[in-house]
Amino acid sequence: MAYSLQTNIPSIFLSNKHIVDPTLAEMGKNLNEAMKMLEDNQRYLQRIMAARTEDVYMVSILQLVQNLMHGDEEEESSSQSYRLQNVGEQGHMALLGHSLAAYISVLERERLRKLTTRILSDTTLWLCRLFRYENGSAYYHEDDREGLLKVCRLAIHSCYEDYTVEGFNVLYNKLPVIYISSAARTGLGQTLCNQLGLPLSCMCRVPCNTMFGSQHQMDVALLDRLIKDDIESGKLPLLLVANAGTPGAGHTDKLGRLKELCEQYNMWLHVEGVNLATLALGYVSSSVLAATKCDSMTLTPGSWLGLPAVPAVTVYRHEDPSLSLAAGLTSSQPVEKLRALPLWLSLQYLGHDGIVERIKHASQLSQRLLENLKNMDFIKTSVQPAFNIWLGEQLAQLVPASGVDVVELEDEGTCVRFSPLMTSAVLGTEVQDVDQLMDCLKMKIPVLICTLQLREEFEQEVKRTVGLSYIEDLSWPGLGIVRYNTDGKKDEKEVEKINTELLKKLNELESDLSFSLGNYHYLQNGCYYQPSGQCPQTAVLNRCRHTPVSLSRRAGGRRGAGVSFRVMHTAKRV
């Protein structure tokens, strides 16, 4: 029997009056109270403990959990912010699924089998329809790499007929080869080989384009040559892992061409990536739509829809159920099928329209930022890593709901990434957050440009001054590091006194500059200075250059042991 994914369902577990099973009613009530206790403040806990003395043990346990979750907040710096998942009612449904799974697992065996079969078939049908994957089966797993691992085992069982009986002995004369993109997740190839018991020589990393197309797309022509070379060497091309949204840059491989290549060499094609979420939308780009023809693909609806603790799903097509069972993609144990329960509840709660709306919203956020960036003519890609790290950290701190982070790409180096398909549903990102992100970019990027322009000038100014030496440090996102040589006979307290006076006087300069003490062990008794404001003119640099010299001399310093400080230009106004 087929079941449809309803537009929405009532919050049956949030209202207990229609629930006949008393355990279910109590479970729904306890979940509501537990979430309130963990999310609300201390007064709620105290009120509950006073009003319901019979729940004192439950409340005290939850009190302990809350302290473990939030106990260190007061110790953290007020300037540091952390991002918590936006757990709405759909998230509560997912959390309830875990409690229900534990309760359902103790049912009578035949009743348990019927219920789990219904849950599994419903969820699989909805996901396959939602993401345009016809006639597919599904495997639900906690680790998002586990589905690919099971698919690799299925491919091995399919290509080596005697593998079930003889095991790895059948692989000896014809080693399988798994192909992954150089833009794939870090460590993916090694993890697969370790878990499958294969030597690393069975993993082939395929370079991305260097001449034509995106530099984050797999080079199809080179892949073709690599496959031919492996066949000539007596190896068996087994499986290809392609990307519909690379982890770093979000680019999609040429899936249509890769599918043709896999059919030509009788290889399994597996696709993963965040762009698979867009298959649920009314309009899907042809490059992503080609993923629906692959042999398997891994979906991560938890991050796409903002659902906590729901499993990842690998959908696949295969005609032999016995091989799927041997590979671990299916299970005869009813309890194993309960992994789908949190997702089953959440999908019903959101409904088709709610699911599509969340994915559409994330896509619109990405498009909005892209359109705004096109209007910024001072965006450049060739910036030193330290500056991009600083920029990413600043943006994440100023607009935490944006979900921006810093990634390292093979060709571009250090980049700031905005990936709303992975973060917006979790963090509750809205259009105003994207607009605020753009405002911060407009404020911070001119600072980086000014700093880069003034680096050489600052270095020359320092080198022309007797008693100062310039220290180059590419990891520092500022103008540079300056060292003043003091008398080597001075002890730490005397040098610290000089630093304190330097810090005080430098902060008095009328140049919109701010200063802070540096790392003693790294800089050998130093202080940092961080200029803030519009680009300082040469006169300002001169004053900064002469101030530590004159102050140190007044403190009795002579050339010898060093006093160092770092210089950073950080705009307060642009």
Side-chain angles (χ1 to χ4, degrees):
M1 182 181 295
Y3 307 99
S4 60
L5 182 60
Q6 302 297 322
T7 302
N8 214 324
I9 62 171
S11 303
I12 56 174
F13 296 109
L14 303 179
S15 176
N16 299 324
K17 62 182 181 180
H18 299 300
I19 301 178
V20 176
D21 190 320
T23 304
L24 287 180
E26 185 69 15
M27 190 182 302
K29 180 179 64 176
N30 287 343
L31 178 70
N32 281 335
E33 292 186 357
M35 293 304 297
K36 289 179 181 178
M37 291 175 188
L38 293 176
E39 292 175 351
D40 292 354
N41 56 29
Q42 182 76 13
R43 287 176 295 180
Y44 184 88
L45 284 167
Q46 294 174 346
R47 187 172 70 250
I48 294 296
M49 290 185 70
R52 300 179 58 188
T53 56
E54 68 274 12
D55 289 339
V56 66
Y57 293 113
M58 173 186 171
V59 174
S60 62
I61 292 173
L62 289 174
Q63 172 91 58
L64 175 61
V65 174
Q66 179 181 256
N67 292 340
L68 293 173
M69 290 170 59
H70 306 292
D72 295 334
E73 289 180 18
E74 297 179 358
E75 301 175 6
E76 295 180 357
S77 172
S78 58
S79 62
Q80 292 180 333
S81 61
Y82 62 94
R83 299 182 292 218
L84 286 177
Q85 179 158 336
N86 182 31
V87 181
E89 287 191 1
Q90 76 278 1
H92 289 193
M93 296 299 289
L95 299 177
L96 177 61
H98 292 276
S99 298
L100 278 174
Y103 173 59
I104 292 173
S105 66
V106 301
L107 292 177
E108 182 268 329
R109 185 172 181 82
E110 182 60 24
R111 185 183 297 271
L112 174 63
R113 185 191 64 79
K114 291 181 179 180
L115 178 57
T116 55
T117 300
R118 163 71 182 269
I119 292 170
L120 190 67
S121 61
D122 281 1
T123 312
T124 300
L125 178 63
W126 295 336
L127 289 172
C128 287
R129 286 183 176 178
L130 188 64
F131 295 102
R132 306 171 186 246
Y133 198 81
E134 298 178 358
N135 302 318
S137 302
Y139 172 65
Y140 300 85
H141 45 97
E142 303 301 326
D143 188 333
D144 57 6
R145 298 169 298 184
E146 188 179 351
L148 173 56
L149 177 64
K150 302 291 188 183
V151 162
C152 289
R153 289 200 174 113
L154 177 59
I156 292 175
H157 278 282
S158 301
C159 293
Y160 296 88
E161 294 183 0
D162 298 328
Y163 181 74
T164 304
V165 177
E166 298 186 19
F168 289 101
N169 289 330
V170 301
L171 307 180
Y172 182 76
N173 294 324
K174 203 168 189 179
L175 285 175
V177 182
I178 300 172
Y179 302 87
I180 64 172
S181 170
S182 60
R185 287 181 284 175
T186 303
L188 177 62
Q190 184 173 358
T191 299
L192 291 177
C193 286
N194 291 342
Q195 294 297 316
L196 294 170
L198 297 175
L200 290 178
S201 58
C202 290
M203 187 61 53
C204 178
R205 284 176 60 87
V206 183
C208 293
N209 295 320
T210 55
M211 298 294 293
F212 305 102
S214 166
Q215 293 182 343
H216 301 278
Q217 286 181 330
M218 193 182 300
D219 190 328
V220 180
L222 181 55
L223 172 63
D224 192 7
R225 292 198 297 272
L226 290 171
I227 294 174
K228 290 178 180 178
D229 291 343
D230 287 331
I231 293 175
E232 292 176 359
S233 301
K235 297 180 179 180
L236 176 66
L238 180 70
L239 181 142
L240 171 65
V241 182
N243 290 298
T246 54
H251 289 220
T252 299
D253 289 324
K254 298 176 181 177
L255 301 179
R257 180 71 183 93
L258 293 176
K259 178 59 179 175
E260 295 174 0
L261 205 61
C262 288
E263 290 177 345
Q264 177 183 343
Y265 294 106
N266 195 30
M267 295 170 55
W268 187 285
L269 176 61
H270 178 83
V271 180
E272 61 182 24
V274 66
N275 292 343
L276 292 175
T278 61
L279 288 171
L281 302 179
Y283 169 77
V284 186
S285 65
S286 58
S287 59
V288 177
L289 189 60
T292 60
K293 305 300 180 183
C294 67
D295 298 294
S296 60
M297 61 183 185
T298 295
L299 311 172
T300 53
S303 57
W304 299 344
L305 304 176
L307 303 174
V310 300
V313 186
T314 294
V315 292
Y316 63 97
R317 298 188 186 96
H318 199 266
E319 297 177 354
D320 192 339
S322 63
L323 293 184
S324 298
L325 181 62
L329 285 164
T330 58
S331 174
S332 59
Q333 299 298 320
V335 176
E336 292 287 329
K337 300 176 183 179
L338 286 174
R339 289 181 182 175
L341 181 56
L343 196 53
W344 183 79
L345 290 171
S346 301
L347 292 177
Q348 290 192 82
Y349 185 86
L350 289 172
H352 180 274
D353 293 342
I355 294 169
V356 172
E357 181 59 33
R358 276 167 171 74
I359 297 174
K360 183 180 179 181
H361 174 69
S363 300
Q364 290 173 340
L365 292 176
S366 181
Q367 189 64 31
R368 185 179 184 89
L369 181 63
L370 181 62
E371 292 298 324
N372 287 331
L373 289 176
K374 290 179 180 179
N375 299 324
M376 296 180 67
D377 55 1
F378 49 81
I379 288 284
K380 295 183 179 180
T381 57
S382 57
V383 178
Q384 294 184 16
F387 288 90
N388 280 343
I389 293 174
W390 174 83
L391 178 61
E393 291 173 349
Q394 289 287 305
L395 295 176
Q397 182 178 0
L398 294 172
V399 195
S402 67
V404 296
D405 60 353
V406 177
V407 295
E408 193 74 27
L409 302 181
E410 186 173 349
D411 295 316
E412 290 81 359
T414 305
C415 299
V416 179
R417 176 177 61 180
F418 176 64
S419 182
L421 278 171
M422 293 297 293
T423 61
S424 64
V426 172
L427 299 176
T429 312
E430 299 293 343
V431 172
Q432 55 267 29
D433 297 314
V434 176
D435 293 340
Q436 185 182 356
L437 187 65
M438 283 302 305
D439 292 338
C440 292
L441 275 171
K442 292 176 182 178
M443 178 179 67
K444 297 296 181 182
I445 289 181
V447 176
L448 299 182
I449 296 175
C450 291
T451 303
L452 288 170
Q453 292 172 343
L454 286 168
R455 263 194 160 189
E456 183 176 355
E457 181 180 351
F458 179 78
E459 180 179 354
Q460 296 304 319
E461 286 287 336
V462 172
K463 288 181 177 179
R464 284 196 293 265
T465 305
V466 177
L468 294 183
S469 59
Y470 181 85
I471 302 174
E472 185 175 12
D473 184 1
L474 296 179
S475 67
W476 173 245
L479 294 178
I481 302 176
V482 180
R483 176 185 174 90
Y484 174 73
N485 296 319
T486 64
D487 188 348
K489 298 180 180 180
K490 293 184 178 297
D491 58 22
E492 289 185 19
K493 291 184 178 180
E494 290 182 276
V495 175
E496 184 179 351
K497 182 178 179 181
I498 295 175
N499 284 341
T500 303
E501 187 176 354
L502 280 173
L503 180 64
K504 178 180 178 181
K505 293 297 182 182
L506 287 171
N507 277 320
E508 294 175 355
L509 291 175
E510 296 179 359
S511 56
D512 285 339
L513 308 178
S514 60
F515 305 85
S516 59
L517 289 176
N519 187 300
Y520 169 77
H521 296 288
Y522 182 76
L523 289 177
Q524 299 179 3
N525 304 323
C527 64
Y528 300 86
Y529 101 65
Q530 301 179 328
S532 303
Q534 297 177 339
C535 292
Q537 303 298 322
T538 303
V540 175
L541 290 180
N542 282 331
R543 293 180 62 191
C544 294
R545 157 170 79 93
H546 289 302
T547 299
V549 178
S550 61
L551 288 175
S552 295
R553 285 175 179 168
R554 242 184 290 161
R558 292 188 299 276
R559 299 181 66 180
V563 174
S564 306
F565 60 94
R566 286 184 175 184
V567 185
M568 182 174 181
H569 176 256
T570 312
K572 291 179 180 175
R573 58 177 184 269
V574 176

